[in-house]
Amino acid sequence: MECRPGCGACCTAPSITTPIPGMPGGKPAGVRCVQLDEHERCRLFGRPGRPAVCASLMPAPDMCGDGREHAMRWLGHLEDLTRPA
């Protein structure tokens, strides 16, 4: 499966605890990554500075569903399940 154009949910919904160029402290869940371009595409895709957690997210029907709203809910639920106590 390919990334859905104009989505960017995987770059918005999850928290990232490692540094991102332009966001040295990472980013909280629900905050748009500064590396998303105007087309909701990652400027770091395939580059060494891309956080490992980002590289580990692969588009899949269960995550992406039928649109961005589904992906935001699914990733938000995953965020809740993996949040440290």
Side-chain angles (χ1 to χ4, degrees), residues 49-62:
R50 188 172 182 219
V53 68
C54 300
S56 72
L57 283 173
M58 302 300 292
D62 59 338

Side-chain angles (χ1 to χ4, degrees), residues 8-24:
C10 60
C11 301
T12 305
S15 61
I16 300 174
T17 58
T18 57
I20 304 164
M23 298 180 101

Side-chain angles (χ1 to χ4, degrees), residues 10-81:
C10 60
C11 301
T12 305
S15 61
I16 300 174
T17 58
T18 57
I20 304 164
M23 298 180 101
K27 68 168 221 58
V31 172
R32 188 181 193 299
C33 180
V34 299
Q35 293 301 327
L36 275 176
D37 69 14
E38 64 277 4
H39 303 289
E40 305 298 332
R41 295 290 195 175
C42 177
R43 291 182 183 100
L44 299 176
F45 191 84
R47 296 181 183 231
R50 188 172 182 219
V53 68
C54 300
S56 72
L57 283 173
M58 302 300 292
D62 59 338
M63 178 175 78
C64 301
D66 61 358
R68 184 177 195 280
E69 292 307 315
H70 172 94
M72 290 292 291
R73 283 191 308 275
W74 193 90
L75 288 163
H77 179 68
L78 185 61
E79 180 72 26
D80 291 342
L81 291 175

